[in-house]
Amino acid sequence: MRINQLREDNPLIICLTNDVVKNFTANGLLALGASPAMATEVEELEDFIQHAGAVLINIGSLTKEIMPSMEKAVEAANKHHVPVVLDPVACSATAFRKEFCLKLIDHYDISVIRGNASEVKGLIEDASMKGTDSDLSLDPVTIAKKAGTQFGMAVIVTGKEDGIYVDGETRRLLNGTEMLTKVTGGGCLLGAIVSAFIYNKVKPTLSDLVEAVAYYNVSAERAEALAKGTLPGHFQINLLDMLNSTGESDIAENMRVEEVD
């Protein structure tokens, strides 16, 4: 597994993410064993990124002012062979968001797209959503496979179950907890976790992504047990603790993964 090497290497993860989740994302990466930097200034991004393990682009607080920084970050990442994770937050809610995401996908090399079912569906066909809420009737596996095939890149689609597509192979992951929807930034933090797990890998493997999502969801299940399943405040704190303590054996013993044709 990759987690032990990640913790030893402590990769720098540059996060251009939304304003609501910056603190939670940084703490989550620190708990995992990565080193977060929330750099957004165009003038310094390349200096940071040439030393980075990965870059996260999360459009949750997308504005015209932040767009140049996001494009510069992806451009610098491509130049220095640094993997990029794109989290297309609420891209099915507005044309403004969708058009920017498709611009990044069309003009740059994105290593992984990570979003919920409504968000990723919105990238490949007409779809609508209310804010950041996903349509729970959609099948994440089907959407991951369709988007990955269309864009020719790795795709993670999250929901009650999660779907992962990489190079013609698809997996369904069955771990997780509804408590992740009760705190702000549960999905956004996963994007950062995925970024950390693929550090220095512009072309991540299926096993890297399965491990990243399984690690996160197993940690969440352990946090839910400590929070007695009903207290979101306790759950959020316990999640940070479990992200720090969940190890290789916890993942291997508890992950539930199915191969999909």
Side-chain angles (χ1 to χ4, degrees), residues 185-208:
C188 296
L189 176 54
L190 176 56
I193 296 295
V194 169
S195 302
F197 268 84
I198 68 166
Y199 75 100
N200 296 344
K201 285 191 174 185
V202 174
K203 297 292 184 183
T205 66
L206 180 61
S207 62
D208 292 335

Side-chain angles (χ1 to χ4, degrees), residues 9-14 34-37 47-49 51-55 82 199:
D9 291 346
N10 185 229
L12 174 64
I13 310 301
I14 308 299
S35 177
D47 290 339
F48 269 116
I49 287 170
H51 301 295
V55 171
V82 175
Y199 75 100

Side-chain angles (χ1 to χ4, degrees), residues 19-154:
D19 297 335
V20 178
V21 304
K22 286 181 178 178
N23 181 269
F24 187 47
T25 298
N27 283 333
L29 285 172
L30 288 169
L32 165 60
S35 177
M38 275 49 186
T40 59
E41 175 52 53
V42 171
E43 295 294 330
E44 66 177 7
L45 275 168
E46 185 159 359
D47 290 339
F48 269 116
I49 287 170
Q50 63 183 319
H51 301 295
V55 171
L56 170 68
I57 303 295
N58 175 306
I59 68 159
S61 298
L62 190 64
T63 64
K64 289 182 178 179
E65 289 73 26
I66 196 65
M67 283 178 171
S69 293
M70 290 183 168
E71 287 196 59
K72 177 63 177 179
V74 180
E75 178 185 343
N78 287 177
K79 176 181 176 181
H80 294 286
H81 308 290
V82 175
V84 177
V85 173
L86 172 63
D87 193 331
V89 179
C91 72
S92 296
T94 71
F96 176 70
R97 290 168 179 267
K98 179 174 180 176
E99 289 168 5
F100 182 68
C101 287
L102 291 178
K103 180 180 180 181
L104 294 182
I105 292 168
D106 290 342
H107 291 84
Y108 301 99
D109 293 326
I110 305 296
S111 299
V112 182
I113 297 171
R114 198 261 19 132
N116 67 39
S118 292
E119 290 164 345
V120 178
K121 184 181 180 183
L123 292 175
I124 56 176
E125 58 187 64
D126 289 335
S128 61
M129 62 190 301
K130 181 187 72 175
T132 61
D133 294 341
S134 183
D135 182 348
L136 298 179
S137 69
L138 299 174
D139 179 28
V141 173
T142 300
I143 294 170
K145 185 174 183 179
K146 186 172 182 180
T149 302
Q150 180 170 321
F151 293 133
M153 62 184 63

